[in-house]
């Protein structure tokens, strides 16, 4: 081989090696620092360590583009005291997105707030697009929901001998009493007690069935995360894959689930027996164990300069999800607050949210709307590849909506929550509630509330991005049904720093 050919081959190999390593760790550090400063301001996070772990071709890149997914490990030092669980400020949800990490890939975020000097570490990723001889950050990479954890076998609590002896004395004394009323009282209480004991023992041994939501959705991810953290307290929670809030409430009503998740508006309609629950009558036994995290109205459109606000959707086709759902009613109210009525000002598509995002990108619909926790996995994944954006709600519409509906509150989708989202998006939202029924015992409610809200329970690390927003400080915010008596007692104890 001639010297010239060897030189060309050497230069080619060097070029391929450079391409294979590009973008390098210095570029990663610069881009991550810029993203963090943009979302959180200067000084909150300092990159203590960043190690590039390799890269791979992005098989999901749009036609004609060369993209690479770069994997890296990062350690961030916290510069000042901060709560990353705020409902409408850049928090753990934004951090998960900006670092291209999964909830389980981040450790060090504390549910009670982080202090200056704390360290947060993550296994992170980013997608770069080749532009000429260089590379440009496109977006952090997406993440996938974790599988449901296996459950350990719980041990039954000890039975107090003294209580059994006392009960024996009562039943024997009443058996010889001439009072039929006294005998009837004891009979009723014994039957009620036996049923409650059997129910609790069954739940202890088989687990609390927790009605979550659709597979790979935010509700079931939270249910699985709660199952993981509850195991450390010897509580068995069995996550159920369901159709969502309305079905979860039906499972609570039938007794097939003990605990369930639903949006605040759905819970209120069920309690009152209105809307989709009108045929079943009021569910007056429905109770809340507490508020979990906010679910925000998202209105997604193609990145079209002519679409700047919700009013610009006049004459468009908007995907609002299944007909008759409480969520769809809320979304129609949001559009009505902007002067838009279905059939007159826009065409309704009943496409579910996850399916509506590819339909939006292909032009089958003009907008997709949903009420969902942040960051919503389907939207985050779609924004990674598609040129989509979120529309802000008008200030006047937000004011009117929150004044007319007590379940709604003004909130922002914080900057950095989604890829390429540089600014906060004003919107409205409601609480996701943890629900049960009045049949749950006081002590069981206390145990569940403690498992959910006790500072230090790391729901984020257990697989729920929304779990970082669960806090005793917001546990009563946005409730639309009565609190369970046991939850009332448990929350009060935690609020005063006296966990049972």
């Amino acid at each position: 081989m001639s010297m010239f050919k060897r030189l060309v081959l050497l230069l080619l190999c060097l070029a391929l090696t450079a391409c294979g390593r590009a973008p390098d760790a210095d570029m990663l550090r610069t881009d991550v620092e810029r993203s963090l400063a943009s979302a959180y301001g200067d000084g909150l996070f300092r990159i203590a360590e960043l190690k590039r772990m390799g890269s791979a071709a992005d098989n999901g890149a749009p036609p004609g583009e060369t993209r690479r997914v770069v994997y890296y490990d990062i350690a961030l030092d916290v510069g000042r005291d901060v709560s990353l669980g705020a409902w409408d400020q850049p928090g753990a949800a934004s951090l998960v997105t900006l670092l291209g990490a999964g909830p389980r890939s981040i450790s060090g975020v504390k549910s009670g707030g982080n202090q200056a000097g704390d360290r947060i570490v993550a296994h992170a990723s980013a997608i770069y697009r080749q532009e000429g001889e260089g590379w440009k950050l496109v977006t952090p990479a997406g993440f996938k929901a974790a599988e449901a954890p296996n459950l350990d076998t719980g041990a039954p609590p000890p039975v107090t001998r003294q209580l059994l002896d006392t009960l024996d004395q009562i039943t024997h004394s009443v058996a010889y009493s001439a009072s039929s009323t006294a005998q009837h009282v004891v009979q009723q209480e014994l039957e009620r007690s036996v049923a409650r004991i059997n129910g609790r023992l069954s739940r202890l041994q088989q687990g609390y069935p927790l009605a979550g939501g659709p597979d790979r959705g935010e509700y079931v991810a939270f249910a699985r995360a709660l199952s993981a953290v509850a195991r450390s307290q010897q509580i068995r929670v069995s996550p159920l894959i369901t159709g969502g809030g309305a079905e979860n409430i039906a499972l609570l009503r039938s007794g097939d689930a003990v605990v369930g998740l639903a949006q605040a508006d759905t819970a209120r309609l069920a309690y009152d027996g209105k809307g989709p629950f009108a045929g079943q009558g009021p569910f007056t036994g429905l109770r809340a164990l507490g508020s979990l995290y906010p679910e925000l109205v998202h209105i997604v459109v193609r990145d079209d300069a002519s679409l700047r606000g919700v009013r610009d959707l006049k004459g468009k086709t908007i995907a609002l999800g299944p007909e008759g759902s409480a969520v769809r009613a809320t979304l129609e109210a949001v559009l009505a607050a902007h002067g838009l009525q279905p059939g007159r000002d826009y065409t309704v598509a009943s496409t579910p949210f996850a399916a509506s995002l590819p339909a939006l990108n292909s032009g089958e619909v003009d907008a997709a709307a949903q009420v969902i926790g942040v960051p919503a996995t389907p939207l985050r994944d779609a924004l990674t590849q598609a040129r989509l954006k979120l529309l802000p709600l008008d200030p006047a519409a937000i004011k009117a909506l929150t004044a007319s509906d007590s379940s709604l509150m003004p909130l922002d989708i914080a900057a950095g929550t989604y890829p390429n989202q540089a600014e906060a998006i004003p919107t409205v939202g409601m609480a996701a509630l943890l629900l049960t029924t009045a049949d749950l015992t006081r002590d069981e409610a206390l145990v569940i509330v403690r498992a959910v809200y006790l500072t230090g329970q790391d729901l984020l690390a257990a697989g729920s991005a929304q779990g970082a927003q669960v806090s005793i400080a917001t546990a009563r915010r946005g409730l639309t049904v009565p609190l369970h008596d046991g939850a009332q007692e448990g929350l009060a104890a935690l609020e005063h720093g006296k966990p049972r």
Side-chain angles (χ1 to χ4, degrees):
M1 183 181 293
S2 68
M3 182 64 69
F4 177 74
K5 287 184 177 180
R6 288 181 178 179
L7 181 60
V8 170
L9 184 59
L10 177 61
L11 291 174
L12 180 60
C13 289
L14 289 173
L16 289 172
T17 301
C19 288
R21 289 287 301 169
D24 59 20
D26 290 338
M27 180 179 290
L28 271 173
R29 178 183 287 269
T30 299
D31 288 334
V32 173
E33 285 176 340
R34 184 185 301 113
S35 298
L36 290 171
S38 175
Y40 297 95
D42 293 327
L44 180 58
F45 293 117
R46 182 184 69 83
I47 298 179
E49 298 175 16
L50 188 149
K51 183 178 181 182
R52 189 182 187 281
M53 304 302 292
S55 65
D58 178 14
N59 295 326
E65 288 191 8
T66 299
R67 293 187 178 188
R68 292 195 72 79
V69 183
V70 184
Y71 304 96
Y72 62 100
D73 287 347
I74 189 170
L76 301 173
D77 286 341
V78 180
R80 59 179 180 271
D81 293 355
V82 63
S83 171
L84 294 173
W87 277 22
D88 60 352
Q89 297 295 320
S94 297
L95 194 61
V96 164
T97 295
L98 290 174
L99 296 180
R104 291 178 181 272
S105 302
I106 294 182
S107 60
V109 176
K110 299 177 180 178
S111 59
N114 283 85
Q115 297 181 329
D118 284 350
R119 177 163 289 190
I120 296 173
V121 298
H123 303 297
S125 58
I127 297 176
Y128 280 80
R129 178 177 63 236
Q130 189 170 17
E131 293 188 352
E133 299 299 319
W135 295 87
K136 181 179 180 180
L137 177 66
V138 177
T139 177
F143 66 90
K144 303 301 179 187
E147 295 299 320
N150 293 323
L151 295 169
D152 296 329
T153 301
V159 179
T160 305
R161 184 74 252 165
Q162 183 179 354
L163 286 174
L164 290 176
D165 290 342
T166 302
L167 181 61
D168 185 61
Q169 292 171 12
I170 292 173
T171 54
H172 277 82
S173 64
V174 171
Y176 296 102
S177 169
S179 170
S180 60
T181 302
Q183 293 181 18
H184 184 63
V185 167
V186 171
Q187 180 71 22
Q188 280 187 323
E189 292 301 323
L190 284 175
E191 289 174 350
R192 184 179 292 113
S193 297
V194 167
R196 289 165 74 88
I197 289 170
N198 281 335
R200 288 189 65 179
L201 287 176
S202 175
R203 290 191 286 271
L204 188 68
Q205 294 161 4
Q206 300 175 20
Y208 292 85
L210 196 168
D215 195 21
R216 298 181 58 78
E218 316 307 328
Y219 275 6
V220 80
F222 178 85
R224 288 167 175 168
L226 179 58
S227 173
V229 301
R231 279 189 301 171
S232 64
Q233 299 189 37
Q234 303 300 312
I235 304 169
R236 291 169 56 85
V237 173
S238 304
L240 305 178
I241 293 175
T242 71
E247 183 179 340
N248 294 348
I249 289 174
L251 290 170
L252 288 174
R253 190 189 286 259
S254 68
D256 292 318
V258 176
V259 189
L261 301 168
Q263 292 170 338
D265 58 348
T266 305
R268 182 179 59 193
L269 290 172
Y271 185 83
D272 294 337
K274 296 180 179 178
F277 305 97
Q280 304 160 48
F283 187 4
T284 56
L286 188 63
R287 295 290 183 270
L289 293 169
S291 291
L292 297 173
Y293 54 82
E295 299 200 70
L296 282 64
V297 170
H298 292 61
I299 300 180
V300 191
V301 296
R302 289 182 292 278
D303 193 2
D304 184 337
S306 67
L307 299 176
R308 293 174 293 181
V310 178
R311 296 182 192 276
D312 296 327
L313 295 177
K314 187 171 183 178
K316 306 295 186 182
T317 299
I318 308 174
L320 297 180
E323 185 176 359
S325 68
V327 170
R328 179 155 161 176
T330 296
L331 294 172
E332 288 180 344
V334 169
L335 293 168
H338 293 81
L340 302 178
Q341 295 294 331
R344 185 190 74 185
D345 300 304
Y346 63 92
T347 301
V348 178
S350 299
T351 316
F353 186 60
S356 68
L357 294 172
L360 173 61
N361 197 39
S362 66
E364 296 174 45
V365 298
D366 300 302
Q370 179 61 296
V371 185
I372 196 168
V374 296
T377 302
L379 181 56
R380 179 183 166 179
D381 290 347
L383 286 168
T384 299
Q385 302 297 343
R387 291 179 173 85
L388 306 175
K389 66 179 181 181
L390 290 158
L391 290 183
L393 272 58
D394 292 349
I398 292 175
K399 185 176 181 180
L401 286 163
T402 53
S404 63
D405 187 341
S406 61
S407 70
L408 292 175
M409 58 192 86
L411 293 168
D412 287 346
I413 301 175
T417 300
Y418 294 103
N420 305 316
Q421 182 212 334
E423 298 179 353
I425 305 294
T427 186
V428 294
M430 64 188 69
L433 304 183
L434 187 64
L435 300 169
T436 187
T437 70
D439 293 332
L440 190 72
T441 68
R442 165 191 164 277
D443 287 327
E444 286 179 300
L446 282 168
V447 166
I448 294 173
V449 163
R450 179 183 171 88
V452 174
Y453 294 103
L454 186 63
T455 297
Q457 295 298 347
D458 201 343
L459 291 161
L460 173 67
S464 171
Q466 289 74 31
Q469 297 175 297
V470 176
S471 167
I472 188 64
T474 53
R476 299 177 188 268
R477 190 174 181 185
L479 294 175
T480 54
V481 299
L483 265 176
H484 191 288
D485 290 344
Q488 184 80 262
E489 184 177 339
L491 292 178
L494 291 171
E495 287 163 347
H496 291 91
K498 299 175 182 178
R500 282 171 55 90

